[in-house]
């Protein structure tokens, strides 16, 4: 929006302003000393935390308005209002009086000067930090030194995602998808889309709530985010433009309350699929897919229309087989899927850790067997038999008719009781390599041995007791090393730590090259 308060609120000159030392994105709040979401006041250059940390930036503005409301405004007070501040990470500008982000500037261009000054400070700090890390690596082997410091050494090439206010559910999914190479590379190779034109063309886009729905593209913002995550040019990236688009097109995720990561992943993939079908930037989806013949040729799974990279990589097909127990009539139905939701068998639900001794450990095979085993439907799920012409007792069984390139397995850890949605905190043992899916196939003889083997690429973990609370993190492997993604913090970790995690969503990638490994 065009803010009318800039001339009275933007008073600092970058060359003379007394900014803190270090990179702006890691500046500390002058009140609580938190370095999460720092904002700098463009009136006095003081730094405070954002409203979704402890809200000291907003309190700074409110305290500055007190003398203006209790006493007669003097000419000086009217000019100095402390209403405009700048995000030290994304460099977007916000006005508290307008309660919106700002896209205009003062006549002297002071906002842009401050923005450029902060960017220079950030780049200088990054260059110094990179030089220090390079010097460290010259004196030690990356694999022998960094991997030994489990959980304490920040990864060099990976980039974290800033938490915008309970957005860890989104960050964990984005980090997981960014480490699925074939999927990530497709989006990173797409042509860029310029959403703004006219006198603002070529400038960085700062989304505001006043912009229309026609100005958003989920594919474009998703592409930008993936490109930023593995460039190694910053320690953390703020996905606020992507989050803005999510708010626009996915109303369920508006607000700053905790959300279900699995539900978000399904909405995200579905909307990417729909937008890719419609084409973008004058390039049709089919034309882009044809550039990757391996994807388009092998894909036969279409969900809600034509095939896209989403269905080409995540798409599989289930056969749902129902048998009437009265007349024996068999009904078969083929259903496409992007992920499989697996129940944790009830006999394992009190098993909270791997080392607990009350009974056997639940494994991923137990969950897959429970999903595909023959099941008798209860009285509330009677099958309408076309031969008997009425609802009858029946059995149901799932077979996998076609396996996807990336097998996404969702463990159903949340279930409804009378009034609450409780969490099943059972530890489920899962393999890092060699998950063999052949025994779950409808026609296993038609699949080669390597086509049924999967290796783990990423794991999403929910920490806490309920779906509306707690915290999400992700583990993912990149170029042979495992990383732990905890919002803006990325650390190197090892396989022993990964296998102890209480997985919520598992991403397995189809094995391409022959390699000896243990099967599940």
């Amino acid at each position: 929006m065009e803010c009318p308060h800039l001339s009275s609120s933007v008073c600092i000159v970058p060359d003379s302003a007394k900014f803190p030392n270090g990179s702006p994105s890691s500046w500390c709040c002058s009140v609580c000393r938190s370095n999460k979401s720092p904002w700098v006041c463009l009136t006095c250059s003081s730094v405070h935390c954002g409203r979704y940390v402890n809200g000291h930036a907003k309190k700074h503005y409110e305290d500055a308005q007190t003398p203006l409301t209790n006493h007669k405004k003097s000419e000086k007070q009217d000019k100095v209002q402390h209403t405009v501040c700048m995000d030290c990470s994304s460099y977007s500008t916000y006005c508290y009086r307008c309660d919106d982000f700002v896209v205009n500037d003062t006549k002297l261009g002071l906002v842009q000067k401050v923005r450029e000054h902060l960017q220079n400070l950030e780049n200088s700090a990054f260059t110094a930090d990179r030089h220090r890390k390079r010097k460290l690596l010259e004196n030690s082997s990356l694999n022998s030194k960094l991997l030994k410091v489990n959980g304490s050494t920040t990864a060099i090439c990976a980039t974290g995602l800033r938490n915008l206010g309970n957005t860890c559910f989104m960050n964990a999914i984005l980090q997981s998808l960014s480490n699925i190479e074939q999927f990530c590379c497709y989006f990173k190779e797409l042509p860029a889309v310029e959403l703004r034109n006219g006198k603002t063309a070529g400038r960085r886009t700062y989304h505001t709530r006043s912009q229309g729905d026609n100005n958003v593209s989920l594919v474009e913002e998703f592409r930008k985010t993936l490109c930023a995550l593995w460039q190694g040019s910053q320690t953390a990236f703020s996905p606020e433009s992507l989050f803005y688009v999510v708010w626009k097109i996915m109303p369920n995720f508006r607000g700053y309350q905790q959300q279900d990561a699995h539900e978000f992943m399904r909405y995200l993939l579905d909307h990417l699929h729909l937008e890719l079908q419609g084409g973008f930037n004058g390039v049709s989806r089919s034309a882009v897919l044809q550039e990757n013949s391996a994807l388009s040729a092998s894909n036969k799974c279409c969900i809600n229309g034509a095939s896209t990279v989403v269905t080409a990589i995540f798409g599989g097909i289930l056969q749902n087989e129902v048998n009437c127990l009265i007349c024996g009539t068999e009904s078969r139905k083929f259903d496409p899927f992007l992920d499989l939701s697996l129940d944790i068998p009830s006999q394992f639900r009190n098993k909270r850790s791997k080392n607990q001794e009350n009974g056997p450990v639940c494994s991923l095979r137990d969950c897959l067997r429970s999903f595909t085993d023959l099941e008798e439907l209860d009285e509330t799920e009677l099958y309408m038999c076309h031969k008997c012409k009425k609802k009858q007792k029946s059995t149901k069984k799932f077979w996998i008719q076609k396996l996807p390139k990336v097998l996404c397995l969702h463990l159903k850890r949340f279930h409804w009781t009378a009034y609450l949605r409780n969490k099943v905190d059972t530890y489920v043992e899962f393999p890092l390599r060699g998950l063999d899916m052949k025994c779950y196939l409808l026609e296993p003889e038609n699949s080669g041995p390597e086509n049924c083997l999967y290796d783990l690429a990423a794991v999403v973990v929910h920490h806490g007791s309920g779906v509306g609370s707690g915290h999400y993190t992700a583990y993912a492997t990149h170029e042979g090393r495992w990383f732990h993604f905890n919002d803006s913090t990325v650390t190197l970790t090892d396989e022993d730590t990964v296998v102890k995690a209480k997985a919520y969503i598992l991403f397995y990638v189809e094995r391409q090259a022959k390699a000896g490994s243990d099967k599940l």
Side-chain angles (χ1 to χ4, degrees):
M1 60 154 288
E2 300 282 333
C3 174
H5 309 114
L6 293 184
S7 59
S8 60
S9 296
V10 181
C11 305
I12 63 174
V13 179
D15 295 336
S16 61
K18 295 181 179 179
F19 291 114
N21 295 324
S23 61
S25 61
S26 60
W27 284 348
C28 295
C29 172
S30 59
V31 178
C32 65
R33 308 308 299 167
S34 170
N35 63 351
K36 293 182 179 179
S37 185
W39 291 74
V40 59
C41 175
L42 298 189
T43 301
C44 63
S45 73
S46 60
V47 177
H48 298 88
C49 59
R51 67 174 69 190
Y52 302 112
V53 182
N54 291 315
H56 288 125
K58 185 177 182 182
K59 190 173 188 306
H60 172 69
Y61 155 72
E62 293 171 344
D63 291 345
Q65 308 314 302
T66 303
L68 299 182
T69 55
N70 294 342
H71 305 284
K72 185 177 180 179
K73 294 180 182 179
S74 67
E75 184 178 351
K76 184 178 180 181
Q77 285 174 328
D78 191 43
K79 289 182 180 179
V80 183
Q81 298 178 355
H82 302 265
T83 62
V84 180
C85 57
M86 181 177 290
D87 187 339
C88 299
S89 300
S90 65
Y91 314 117
S92 54
T93 310
Y94 192 86
C95 176
Y96 281 109
R97 288 187 68 182
C98 298
D99 194 25
D100 206 344
F101 287 94
V102 176
V103 296
N104 59 317
D105 204 339
T106 64
K107 291 181 179 180
L108 298 177
L110 291 179
V111 174
Q112 184 60 24
K113 289 180 180 179
V114 174
R115 182 177 291 123
E116 291 174 354
H117 186 68
L118 295 187
Q119 288 174 329
N120 290 335
L121 291 176
E122 186 75 31
N123 292 337
S124 298
F126 170 73
T127 302
D129 187 53
R130 184 169 57 181
H131 179 71
R132 180 183 61 80
K133 288 178 179 178
R134 187 183 294 118
K135 209 167 183 181
L136 173 66
L137 289 178
E138 287 174 356
N139 299 325
S140 60
S141 166
L142 180 64
N143 290 332
S144 63
K145 294 294 183 183
L146 289 182
L147 291 177
K148 285 181 180 178
V149 192
N150 178 31
S152 62
T153 303
T154 302
I156 294 175
C157 56
T159 299
L161 286 169
R162 296 194 182 280
N163 194 314
L164 305 177
N166 281 328
T167 56
C168 56
F169 68 92
M170 178 178 75
N171 293 346
I173 294 298
L174 293 176
Q175 293 286 13
S176 298
L177 295 178
S178 77
N179 285 283
I180 298 173
E181 185 177 1
Q182 201 172 16
F183 185 70
C184 181
C185 286
Y186 172 87
F187 284 93
K188 290 198 293 186
E189 292 170 1
L190 290 177
V193 177
E194 182 55 60
L195 298 179
R196 307 182 74 188
N197 49 39
K199 61 183 180 181
T200 58
R203 297 183 190 174
R204 178 174 175 175
T205 299
Y206 296 94
H207 287 303
T208 74
R209 284 173 287 179
S210 58
Q211 287 181 293
D213 290 340
N214 295 331
N215 286 332
V216 299
S217 166
L218 180 63
V219 170
E220 172 63 5
E221 295 304 334
F222 185 66
R223 182 194 70 81
K224 289 179 183 177
T225 302
L226 293 182
C227 288
L229 286 180
W230 287 99
Q231 287 180 343
S233 59
Q234 52 188 332
T235 56
F237 174 75
S238 181
E240 56 186 10
S241 294
L242 176 61
F243 194 40
Y244 166 82
V245 176
V246 169
W247 276 33
K248 279 286 186 181
I249 66 178
M250 306 180 199
N252 289 9
F253 297 95
R254 289 176 184 169
Y256 294 94
Q257 66 271 27
Q258 182 65 280
Q259 301 281 1
D260 186 349
H262 174 252
E263 185 179 357
F264 171 75
M265 182 197 74
R266 285 307 313 268
Y267 270 86
L268 177 66
L269 292 179
D270 287 345
H271 280 81
L272 287 172
H273 173 65
L274 291 173
E275 189 173 322
L276 286 169
Q277 284 181 318
F280 45 89
N281 200 28
V283 181
S284 70
R285 173 217 51 83
S286 57
V288 179
L289 251 185
Q290 286 172 4
E291 295 179 6
N292 192 333
S293 57
L295 285 179
S296 56
S298 62
N299 177 59
K300 298 179 181 178
C301 176
C302 299
I303 299 175
N304 296 329
S307 169
T308 68
V309 67
V310 175
T311 54
I313 291 180
F314 291 95
I317 299 176
L318 280 177
Q319 177 181 287
N320 184 357
E321 185 176 295
V322 180
N323 284 279
C324 176
L325 291 178
I326 305 302
C327 68
T329 299
E330 184 180 275
S331 173
R332 295 179 181 178
K333 181 182 177 183
F334 293 94
D335 297 312
F337 68 86
L338 295 179
D339 70 309
L340 297 178
S341 292
L342 310 178
D343 281 306
I344 296 175
S346 57
Q347 65 266 30
F348 298 108
R349 292 195 177 180
N350 292 325
K351 184 82 173 178
R352 292 179 174 267
S353 67
K354 184 176 182 179
N355 299 323
Q356 194 172 329
E357 296 183 359
N358 58 335
V361 175
C362 180
S363 68
L364 191 57
R365 170 177 282 191
D366 294 316
C367 299
L368 284 165
R369 187 186 298 117
S370 176
F371 179 78
T372 57
D373 275 353
L374 187 69
E375 172 191 4
E376 183 173 341
L377 300 178
D378 58 31
E379 296 292 336
T380 61
E381 300 177 293
L382 292 179
Y383 163 66
M384 182 63 190
C385 179
H386 296 290
K387 187 174 182 180
C388 298
K389 304 297 182 183
K390 63 179 180 178
K391 291 184 176 183
Q392 302 282 28
K393 287 187 175 182
S394 58
T395 60
K396 179 179 72 174
K397 181 174 176 59
F398 284 119
W399 294 95
I400 299 177
Q401 197 267 342
K402 174 186 175 293
L403 283 166
K405 294 182 178 298
V406 174
L407 179 64
C408 179
L409 300 177
H410 161 236
L411 299 179
K412 295 163 75 172
R413 291 196 173 274
F414 301 104
H415 68 99
W416 287 100
T417 57
Y419 301 101
L420 299 173
R421 196 178 184 190
N422 292 330
K423 182 180 178 182
V424 179
D425 205 30
T426 301
Y427 171 78
V428 177
E429 193 173 50
F430 55 90
L432 293 179
R433 302 175 189 85
L435 172 62
D436 193 348
M437 295 295 294
K438 191 168 187 177
C439 60
Y440 310 109
L441 282 175
L442 179 64
E443 298 174 341
E445 65 277 3
N446 295 335
S447 298
E450 290 295 326
N451 294 337
C452 301
L453 291 180
Y454 287 80
D455 298 324
L456 189 65
V459 187
V460 174
V461 181
H462 178 268
H463 311 267
S465 58
V467 67
S469 60
H471 183 61
Y472 286 98
T473 65
Y475 293 95
T477 180
H478 185 81
E479 297 181 351
R481 293 181 295 169
W482 280 95
F483 295 87
H484 183 218
F485 298 92
N486 183 5
D487 287 337
S488 57
T489 303
V490 184
T491 54
L492 281 166
T493 187
D494 54 32
E495 294 183 352
D496 291 338
T497 302
V498 176
V499 296
K500 292 176 183 177
K502 292 182 180 179
Y504 181 45
I505 305 172
L506 296 151
F507 295 88
Y508 280 94
V509 178
E510 182 183 45
R511 183 179 294 178
Q512 298 297 324
K514 290 185 177 181
S517 62
D518 296 331
K519 295 182 180 180
L520 174 66

